[in-house]
């Protein structure tokens, strides 16, 4: 990955953003946003996931001009992922997405990172892998 050194430097330099852990409020879950999904147990970003992030950045810069001032990055894990690591994995996913936002020029003061683990599944009772995959995500909300 081209940005891996920069990403690590940003995260290790204390620019890990204002992180918080907690369940998002119902209004935040209902707000329109962008969703980046992840493979089981992974927080690594692919080019396809970066396209979603870039679309969110475009919307933030072009359509939100004065109305949007914040990007809320909410990391999620699937109930099928290890309960002991779900919050940490959801936080790692959110930080990876936030690092891409920083690399693309979004200000650190415009990003809020939260991790909720498996506490707020998109599909509460997944019946198959496709349903379960929808729970392994980062949601970007433009405020």
């Amino acid at each position: 990955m081209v940005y891996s050194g920069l990403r690590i430097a940003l995260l290790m330099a204390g620019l890990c953003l204002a992180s918080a852990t907690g369940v998002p409020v119902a209004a935040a879950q209902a707000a329109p946003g962008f969703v980046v999904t992840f493979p089981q147990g992974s927080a690594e970003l692919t080019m396809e996931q970066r396209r979603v992030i870039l679309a969110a950045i475009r919307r933030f810069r072009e359509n939100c001009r004065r109305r949007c001032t914040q990007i809320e990055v909410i990391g999620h894990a699937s109930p099928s992922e290890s309960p002991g690591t779900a919050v940490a994995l959801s936080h790692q996913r959110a930080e990876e997405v936030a690092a891409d936002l920083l690399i693309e020029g979004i200000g650190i003061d415009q990003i809020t990172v939260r991790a909720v683990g498996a506490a707020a599944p998109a599909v509460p009772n997944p019946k198959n892998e496709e349903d379960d995959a929808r729970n392994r995500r980062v949601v970007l909300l433009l405020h």
Side-chain angles (χ1 to χ4, degrees):
M1 171 196 309
V2 174
Y3 295 122
S4 62
L6 179 57
R7 179 183 316 283
I8 291 168
L10 287 170
L11 296 175
M12 303 239 354
L15 299 178
C16 296
L17 316 172
S19 299
T21 301
V23 178
V25 295
Q29 288 179 327
F34 293 82
V35 178
V36 179
T37 57
F38 290 84
Q40 181 85 14
S42 174
E44 189 172 322
L45 292 172
T46 65
M47 286 309 298
E48 181 179 331
Q49 293 161 317
R50 285 195 170 89
R51 281 191 278 277
V52 174
I53 296 166
L54 291 173
I57 291 170
R58 267 193 308 281
R59 169 89 48 87
F60 184 74
R61 287 181 176 151
E62 295 170 4
N63 299 347
C64 290
R65 297 235 179 209
R66 291 181 181 93
R67 293 184 312 231
C68 299
T69 59
Q70 290 289 130
I71 299 179
E72 185 176 9
V73 181
I74 308 168
H76 296 267
S78 166
S80 68
E81 292 176 305
S82 170
T85 61
V87 172
L89 183 57
S90 65
H91 194 264
Q92 185 181 5
R93 288 172 176 156
E95 284 188 338
E96 286 294 314
V97 171
D100 260 23
L101 294 173
L102 289 170
I103 289 166
E104 293 297 329
I106 301 298
I108 195 165
D109 60 329
Q110 296 178 294
I111 304 169
T112 303
V113 174
R114 293 197 297 153
V116 298
V123 181
N125 298 308
K127 304 280 188 251
N128 53 45
E129 170 56 27
E130 183 179 317
D131 286 350
D132 195 45
R134 291 178 48 209
N135 291 322
R136 299 185 302 265
R137 69 198 189 283
V138 168
V139 178
L140 293 100
L141 300 175
L142 310 181
H143 299 286

